[in-house]
């Protein structure tokens, strides 16, 4: 049984799984009225075709992404039909590369120093997951973002701070939400505290050293070299890409890539508890728009994911904190679809080795059953609404959305407790400034 989890076997199975799904998708697209390919992939490829013709990708209605994505997919516009699947191959290959990074991080001293076999078992949660393979082979670009995120974590743990900053800036340009990782990374890049700035740093701060450190010393300690390099490199990357895209595509770039998401109202295929309220906002704008729910929803979401969780947990375990941040961000997001689950699923292998969900089997099974069953309840209500034409908004969709949200909050609470206890036992992964 253990021989199954060798590097060759796991990565061969991961590639084969995606290959089977990819060819099955071609068959279903050709012979079934229900298409396998995600509608978003047609949006991507249409935008890429416009770019290949020297036009703006934003001429394609509903294209809400960076032009970089359309540029990457230009080969899909080439005349030979086989090139249409280029993007799917790119996304699935990104899955594989992300899996390789997961293994390398788990094998590193700061990632648990696992054996190859054990690291591959946890990495298989991503590599051999049919859900991940399905989403990528249907044409979702989440795999590209996933490889950026795990590469960012790998760079921080390897103390490649400039590279980490570049990856952070690139990922935020690619899709806004990874900015929440910035506070956590900054928080862990701390210097060892000296008793005074003229003395050699001591590895463990004492009460006397803290008391004798002035406010000026505290500020100098906070703005250490690693933090400055991370901020400058990430901002330079983010601003450079945005200025370049704005110079080429002007206001449509800002509107569709960034500003649109501030007032986005998307009530279809949305697990969020805001779903029904967003539907009301879209149908009765004159009566409901004064509440500006689509903008106010960001307040609790960002406060929890970008402020509270980083401050409380980042110095205890960076990878676990990033998982908790992402889980909270998705749970509180006004739009929550199955694709968004990949945002935190890719970080799950770093948390599970010490999680209560594995240590207490009954707890883990209960969490999984509740997480899946509440989704199924919501999907049943959505099916009755969209396919049978029945009005299931209240109580059906609204109640199922609240139930799924409640389960997610309970799971998040267990995560936060686990990560906090890991830090209290001295198992955290703080990255310290050298020298």
């Amino acid at each position: 049984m253990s021989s199954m989890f060798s590097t060759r076997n796991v990565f061969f199975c991961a590639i084969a799984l995606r290959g089977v799904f990819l060819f099955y998708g071609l068959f279903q697209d050709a012979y079934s009225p229900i298409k396998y390919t995600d509608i978003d992939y047609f949006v991507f490829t249409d935008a890429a075709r416009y770019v290949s013709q020297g036009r703006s990708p934003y001429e394609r209605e509903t294209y809400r992404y960076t032009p970089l994505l359309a540029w990457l997919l230009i080969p899909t516009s080439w005349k030979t039909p086989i090139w249409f699947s280029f993007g799917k191959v790119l996304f699935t290959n990104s899955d594989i590369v992300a899996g390789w990074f997961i293994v390398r991080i788990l094998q590193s001293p700061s990632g648990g120093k696992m054996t190859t076999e054990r690291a591959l078992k946890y990495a298989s949660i991503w590599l051999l997951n049919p859900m991940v393979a399905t989403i990528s082979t249907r044409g979702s670009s989440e795999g590209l973002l996933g490889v950026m995120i795990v590469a960012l974590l790998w760079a921080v743990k390897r103390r490649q701070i400039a590279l980490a900053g570049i990856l952070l800036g690139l990922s935020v340009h690619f899709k806004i939400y990874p900015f929440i990782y910035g506070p956590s990374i900054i928080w862990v890049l701390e210097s060892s505290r000296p008793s005074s700035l003229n003395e050699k740093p001591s590895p463990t701060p004492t009460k006397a050293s803290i008391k004798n450190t002035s406010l000026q010393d505290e500020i100098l300690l906070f703005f250490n070299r690693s933090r400055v390099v991370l901020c400058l490199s990430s901002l330079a990357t983010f601003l450079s890409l945005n200025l370049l895209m704005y110079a080429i595509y002007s206001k449509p770039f800002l509107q569709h890539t960034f500003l649109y998401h501030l007032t986005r109202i998307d009530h279809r295929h949305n697990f969020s508890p805001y779903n029904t309220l967003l539907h009301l906002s879209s149908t009765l704008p004159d009566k409901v728009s004064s509440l500006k729910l689509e903008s106010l929803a960001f307040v609790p979401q960002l406060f929890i994911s970008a402020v509270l969780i980083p401050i409380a947990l980042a110095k205890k375990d960076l990878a676990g904190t990033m998982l908790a941040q992402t889980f909270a961000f998705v749970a509180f997001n006004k739009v929550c679809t199955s694709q968004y689950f990949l945002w935190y699923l890719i970080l799950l292998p770093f948390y599970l080795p010490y999680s209560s969900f594995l240590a207490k089997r009954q707890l883990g099974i209960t969490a999984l059953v509740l997480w899946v069953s509440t989704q199924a309840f919501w999907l049943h209500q959505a099916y009755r609404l969209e396919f049978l034409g029945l009005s299931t908004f209240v109580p059906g969709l609204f109640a199922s959305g609240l139930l799924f949200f409640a389960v997610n909050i309970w799971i998040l609470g267990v995560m936060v407790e686990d990560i906090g206890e890991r830090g209290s036992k001295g198992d955290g992964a703080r990255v310290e400034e050298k020298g």
Side-chain angles (χ1 to χ4, degrees):
M1 181 69 178
S2 62
S3 61
M4 292 177 59
F5 289 95
S6 65
T7 302
R8 176 182 295 179
N9 289 345
V10 169
F11 279 91
F12 173 79
C13 290
I15 294 170
L17 176 66
R18 286 157 177 80
V20 169
F21 279 30
L22 189 61
F23 282 104
Y24 170 78
L26 294 174
F27 175 83
Q28 181 173 325
D29 285 346
Y31 296 101
S32 173
I34 301 175
K35 303 304 179 185
Y36 181 83
T37 300
D38 195 304
I39 187 64
D40 285 345
Y41 189 71
F42 293 105
V43 175
F44 300 159
T45 54
D46 286 347
R49 187 174 67 255
Y50 289 152
V51 169
S52 69
Q53 297 168 354
R55 299 160 63 186
S56 169
Y58 300 108
E59 292 184 35
R60 180 28 164 118
E61 190 177 358
T62 73
Y63 185 79
R64 316 290 188 188
Y65 312 90
T66 170
L68 281 180
L69 181 59
W71 292 4
L72 286 172
L73 299 184
I74 285 178
T76 63
S77 65
W78 295 348
K79 293 182 179 180
T80 307
I82 195 173
W83 282 105
F84 181 75
S85 298
F86 171 82
K88 296 180 181 180
V89 175
L90 176 64
F91 302 152
T92 55
N93 284 339
S94 298
D95 284 351
I96 302 300
V97 175
W100 179 83
F101 272 114
I102 292 172
V103 173
R104 293 302 300 269
I105 293 171
L106 291 174
Q107 289 179 313
S108 68
S110 61
K113 210 171 184 178
M114 295 185 183
T115 63
T116 299
E117 180 183 333
R118 188 162 184 250
L120 285 166
K121 287 180 179 179
Y122 285 107
S124 295
I125 296 168
W126 173 265
L127 286 169
L128 302 183
N129 192 315
M131 176 183 173
V132 176
T134 301
I135 289 177
S136 292
T137 54
R138 292 188 68 214
S140 171
S141 63
E142 304 305 331
L144 279 176
L145 185 65
V147 75
M148 295 180 200
I149 299 305
V150 289
L152 166 64
L153 180 60
W154 174 84
V156 173
K157 288 183 173 291
R158 290 290 299 268
R159 295 200 54 80
Q160 302 292 326
I161 305 302
L163 175 60
I166 292 171
L167 289 168
L168 180 60
L170 175 62
S171 60
V172 175
H173 171 81
F174 199 85
K175 188 158 286 190
I176 303 171
Y177 89 87
F179 84 90
I180 64 176
Y181 304 136
S184 292
I185 298 172
I186 290 173
W187 200 231
V188 300
L189 294 175
E190 65 178 358
S191 300
S192 298
R193 183 189 299 273
S195 56
S196 75
L197 291 183
N198 295 323
E199 297 179 10
K200 293 182 179 180
S202 57
T204 305
T206 63
K207 292 183 178 179
S209 68
I210 296 174
K211 184 177 180 180
N212 294 331
T213 303
S214 66
L215 177 61
Q216 181 181 0
D217 294 343
E218 290 280 0
I219 294 173
L220 291 174
L221 284 169
F222 183 83
F223 290 100
N224 59 41
R225 182 177 181 275
S226 291
R227 284 170 171 160
V228 171
V229 170
L230 179 80
C231 291
L232 290 180
S233 56
S234 59
L235 283 174
T237 303
F238 180 72
L239 292 177
S240 296
L241 288 170
N242 288 340
L243 288 173
L244 174 63
M245 298 306 167
Y246 184 79
I248 298 173
Y249 300 110
S250 191
K251 290 183 180 179
F253 160 68
L254 289 179
Q255 176 60 38
H256 295 290
T257 304
F258 297 111
L259 301 180
Y260 162 79
H261 298 280
L262 297 176
T263 57
R264 178 183 181 186
I265 299 178
D266 188 348
H267 56 86
R268 291 185 179 274
H269 314 109
N270 182 1
F271 292 102
S272 169
Y274 295 110
N275 178 42
T276 302
L277 298 177
L278 290 176
H279 175 75
L280 292 175
S281 295
S282 67
T283 55
L284 301 171
D286 294 336
K287 296 182 180 180
V288 185
S289 61
S290 59
L291 296 175
K292 296 182 179 179
L293 175 66
E294 60 271 18
S295 298
L296 293 176
F298 287 113
V299 176
Q301 177 191 32
L302 296 183
F303 183 66
I304 293 172
S305 63
V307 180
L308 284 184
I309 291 177
I311 290 175
L313 301 178
K315 292 184 180 181
K316 298 178 179 180
D317 180 21
L318 177 59
T321 300
M322 290 171 65
L323 169 65
Q325 286 180 273
T326 314
F327 198 90
F329 187 92
V330 173
F332 281 89
N333 200 24
K334 63 183 179 182
V335 177
C336 178
T337 69
S338 298
Q339 293 178 358
Y340 295 1
F341 300 157
L342 267 62
W343 295 359
Y344 56 74
L345 187 60
I346 197 169
L347 296 166
L348 197 58
F350 308 118
Y351 159 73
L352 281 182
Y354 63 87
S355 73
S356 296
F357 296 114
L358 282 190
K360 304 173 183 177
R361 181 172 297 182
Q362 186 175 357
L363 177 66
I365 294 174
T366 301
L368 181 61
V369 169
L370 288 175
W371 190 76
V372 172
S373 61
T374 49
Q375 283 184 68
F377 180 36
W378 187 96
L379 289 169
H380 174 66
Q381 300 301 314
Y383 170 79
R384 295 178 67 207
L385 171 68
E386 296 191 19
F387 289 90
L388 302 182
L390 302 175
S391 179
T392 59
F393 287 107
V394 179
L397 276 175
F398 186 63
S400 60
L402 289 177
L403 284 174
F404 184 57
F405 178 74
V407 169
N408 279 314
I409 296 306
W410 171 63
I411 292 174
L412 177 62
V414 176
M415 284 184 187
V416 169
E417 185 176 359
D418 286 344
I419 298 165
E421 290 180 355
R422 177 174 170 80
S424 66
K425 295 175 182 177
D427 298 324
R430 185 176 72 178
V431 180
E432 293 194 350
E433 173 77 6
K434 294 182 178 179

